PDB file of all heavy atoms in Angstrom:
ATOM      1  N   PRO T 160     -11.857 -11.213   3.212  1.00 90.00           N
ATOM      2  CA  PRO T 160     -11.006 -12.156   2.478  1.00 90.00           C
ATOM      3  C   PRO T 160     -11.530 -12.448   1.083  1.00 90.00           C
ATOM      4  O   PRO T 160     -12.737 -12.340   0.813  1.00 90.00           O
ATOM      5  CB  PRO T 160     -11.020 -13.418   3.346  1.00 90.00           C
ATOM      6  CG  PRO T 160     -12.227 -13.291   4.200  1.00 90.00           C
ATOM      7  CD  PRO T 160     -12.576 -11.840   4.320  1.00 90.00           C
ATOM      8  N   ILE T 161     -10.629 -12.803   0.218  1.00 94.00           N
ATOM      9  CA  ILE T 161     -10.927 -13.182  -1.159  1.00 94.00           C
ATOM     10  C   ILE T 161      -9.796 -14.156  -1.509  1.00 94.00           C
ATOM     11  O   ILE T 161      -8.713 -14.035  -0.935  1.00 94.00           O
ATOM     12  CB  ILE T 161     -10.952 -11.903  -2.042  1.00 94.00           C
ATOM     13  CG1 ILE T 161     -11.419 -12.167  -3.453  1.00 94.00           C
ATOM     14  CG2 ILE T 161      -9.624 -11.213  -2.090  1.00 94.00           C
ATOM     15  CD1 ILE T 161     -11.643 -10.875  -4.266  1.00 94.00           C
ATOM     16  N   PRO T 162     -10.008 -15.122  -2.407  1.00 94.00           N
ATOM     17  CA  PRO T 162      -8.921 -16.076  -2.681  1.00 94.00           C
ATOM     18  C   PRO T 162      -7.641 -15.343  -3.104  1.00 94.00           C
ATOM     19  O   PRO T 162      -7.684 -14.420  -3.912  1.00 94.00           O
ATOM     20  CB  PRO T 162      -9.468 -16.917  -3.834  1.00 94.00           C
ATOM     21  CG  PRO T 162     -10.950 -16.795  -3.724  1.00 94.00           C
ATOM     22  CD  PRO T 162     -11.219 -15.436  -3.163  1.00 94.00           C
ATOM     23  N   LEU T 164      -4.334 -14.387  -4.918  1.00 95.00           N
ATOM     24  CA  LEU T 164      -3.752 -14.570  -6.247  1.00 95.00           C
ATOM     25  C   LEU T 164      -2.251 -14.752  -6.066  1.00 95.00           C
ATOM     26  O   LEU T 164      -1.614 -13.907  -5.449  1.00 95.00           O
ATOM     27  CB  LEU T 164      -4.002 -13.332  -7.105  1.00 95.00           C
ATOM     28  CG  LEU T 164      -5.440 -13.035  -7.476  1.00 95.00           C
ATOM     29  CD1 LEU T 164      -5.562 -11.622  -8.030  1.00 95.00           C
ATOM     30  CD2 LEU T 164      -5.919 -14.051  -8.519  1.00 95.00           C
ATOM     31  N   ILE T 217     -14.350  -7.417 -11.137  1.00 94.00           N
ATOM     32  CA  ILE T 217     -12.955  -7.814 -10.813  1.00 94.00           C
ATOM     33  C   ILE T 217     -12.958  -8.828  -9.666  1.00 94.00           C
ATOM     34  O   ILE T 217     -12.149  -9.765  -9.653  1.00 94.00           O
ATOM     35  CB  ILE T 217     -12.028  -6.600 -10.519  1.00 94.00           C
ATOM     36  CG1 ILE T 217     -10.559  -7.062 -10.574  1.00 94.00           C
ATOM     37  CG2 ILE T 217     -12.321  -5.923  -9.200  1.00 94.00           C
ATOM     38  CD1 ILE T 217      -9.541  -5.965 -10.687  1.00 94.00           C
ATOM     39  N   VAL T 218     -13.898  -8.687  -8.736  1.00 95.00           N
ATOM     40  CA  VAL T 218     -13.980  -9.655  -7.637  1.00 95.00           C
ATOM     41  C   VAL T 218     -14.350 -11.033  -8.197  1.00 95.00           C
ATOM     42  O   VAL T 218     -13.762 -12.056  -7.831  1.00 95.00           O
ATOM     43  CB  VAL T 218     -14.981  -9.171  -6.557  1.00 95.00           C
ATOM     44  CG1 VAL T 218     -15.226 -10.254  -5.515  1.00 95.00           C
ATOM     45  CG2 VAL T 218     -14.457  -7.896  -5.885  1.00 95.00           C
ATOM     46  N   THR T 219     -15.304 -11.044  -9.144  1.00 95.00           N
ATOM     47  CA  THR T 219     -15.670 -12.315  -9.797  1.00 95.00           C
ATOM     48  C   THR T 219     -14.455 -12.900 -10.528  1.00 95.00           C
ATOM     49  O   THR T 219     -14.164 -14.097 -10.440  1.00 95.00           O
ATOM     50  CB  THR T 219     -16.818 -12.076 -10.816  1.00 95.00           C
ATOM     51  OG1 THR T 219     -17.901 -11.482 -10.106  1.00 95.00           O
ATOM     52  CG2 THR T 219     -17.275 -13.366 -11.472  1.00 95.00           C
ATOM     53  N   ALA T 220     -13.733 -12.034 -11.242  1.00 96.00           N
ATOM     54  CA  ALA T 220     -12.557 -12.501 -11.994  1.00 96.00           C
ATOM     55  C   ALA T 220     -11.524 -13.116 -11.056  1.00 96.00           C
ATOM     56  O   ALA T 220     -10.919 -14.152 -11.364  1.00 96.00           O
ATOM     57  CB  ALA T 220     -11.941 -11.337 -12.772  1.00 96.00           C
ATOM     58  N   ILE T 221     -11.329 -12.493  -9.874  1.00 97.00           N
ATOM     59  CA  ILE T 221     -10.360 -13.021  -8.904  1.00 97.00           C
ATOM     60  C   ILE T 221     -10.861 -14.364  -8.367  1.00 97.00           C
ATOM     61  O   ILE T 221     -10.099 -15.336  -8.276  1.00 97.00           O
ATOM     62  CB  ILE T 221     -10.124 -12.003  -7.769  1.00 97.00           C
ATOM     63  CG1 ILE T 221      -9.389 -10.774  -8.325  1.00 97.00           C
ATOM     64  CG2 ILE T 221      -9.320 -12.632  -6.627  1.00 97.00           C
ATOM     65  CD1 ILE T 221      -9.333  -9.584  -7.392  1.00 97.00           C
ATOM     66  N   ASN T 222     -12.141 -14.426  -8.031  1.00 96.00           N
ATOM     67  CA  ASN T 222     -12.701 -15.689  -7.539  1.00 96.00           C
ATOM     68  C   ASN T 222     -12.524 -16.815  -8.545  1.00 96.00           C
ATOM     69  O   ASN T 222     -12.271 -17.957  -8.190  1.00 96.00           O
ATOM     70  CB  ASN T 222     -14.191 -15.519  -7.220  1.00 96.00           C
ATOM     71  CG  ASN T 222     -14.408 -14.931  -5.839  1.00 96.00           C
ATOM     72  OD1 ASN T 222     -13.736 -15.308  -4.882  1.00 96.00           O
ATOM     73  ND2 ASN T 222     -15.318 -13.980  -5.725  1.00 96.00           N
ATOM     74  N   GLN T 223     -12.657 -16.460  -9.835  1.00 95.00           N
ATOM     75  CA  GLN T 223     -12.550 -17.489 -10.889  1.00 95.00           C
ATOM     76  C   GLN T 223     -11.116 -17.655 -11.384  1.00 95.00           C
ATOM     77  O   GLN T 223     -10.857 -18.416 -12.292  1.00 95.00           O
ATOM     78  CB  GLN T 223     -13.450 -17.101 -12.068  1.00 95.00           C
ATOM     79  CG  GLN T 223     -14.923 -17.100 -11.702  1.00 95.00           C
ATOM     80  CD  GLN T 223     -15.808 -16.560 -12.829  1.00 95.00           C
ATOM     81  OE1 GLN T 223     -15.312 -15.916 -13.767  1.00 95.00           O
ATOM     82  NE2 GLN T 223     -17.097 -16.797 -12.716  1.00 95.00           N
ATOM     83  N   LYS T 224     -10.190 -16.861 -10.822  1.00 95.00           N
ATOM     84  CA  LYS T 224      -8.788 -16.846 -11.269  1.00 95.00           C
ATOM     85  C   LYS T 224      -8.695 -16.661 -12.787  1.00 95.00           C
ATOM     86  O   LYS T 224      -7.927 -17.325 -13.481  1.00 95.00           O
ATOM     87  CB  LYS T 224      -8.044 -18.114 -10.829  1.00 95.00           C
ATOM     88  CG  LYS T 224      -7.989 -18.315  -9.316  1.00 95.00           C
ATOM     89  CD  LYS T 224      -6.583 -18.661  -8.857  1.00 95.00           C
ATOM     90  CE  LYS T 224      -6.461 -18.957  -7.371  1.00 95.00           C
ATOM     91  NZ  LYS T 224      -6.686 -17.845  -6.478  1.00 95.00           N
ATOM     92  N   ASN T 225      -9.541 -15.746 -13.289  1.00 97.00           N
ATOM     93  CA  ASN T 225      -9.568 -15.438 -14.716  1.00 97.00           C
ATOM     94  C   ASN T 225      -8.637 -14.243 -14.961  1.00 97.00           C
ATOM     95  O   ASN T 225      -9.021 -13.084 -14.815  1.00 97.00           O
ATOM     96  CB  ASN T 225     -11.015 -15.110 -15.124  1.00 97.00           C
ATOM     97  CG  ASN T 225     -11.136 -14.801 -16.600  1.00 97.00           C
ATOM     98  OD1 ASN T 225     -10.163 -14.429 -17.250  1.00 97.00           O
ATOM     99  ND2 ASN T 225     -12.345 -14.941 -17.132  1.00 97.00           N
ATOM    100  N   ILE T 229      -9.189 -10.160 -14.887  1.00 98.00           N
ATOM    101  CA  ILE T 229      -8.592  -9.326 -13.822  1.00 98.00           C
ATOM    102  C   ILE T 229      -7.909  -8.128 -14.483  1.00 98.00           C
ATOM    103  O   ILE T 229      -8.112  -6.975 -14.100  1.00 98.00           O
ATOM    104  CB  ILE T 229      -7.568 -10.137 -12.978  1.00 98.00           C
ATOM    105  CG1 ILE T 229      -8.279 -11.229 -12.176  1.00 98.00           C
ATOM    106  CG2 ILE T 229      -6.774  -9.206 -12.046  1.00 98.00           C
ATOM    107  CD1 ILE T 229      -7.346 -12.258 -11.540  1.00 98.00           C
TER     108      ILE T 229
END
Side-chain angles (χ1 to χ4, degrees):
I161 187 172
L164 294 166
I217 195 164
V218 172
T219 303
I221 292 168
N222 277 318
Q223 295 173 344
K224 300 227 183 293
N225 181 338
I229 293 168

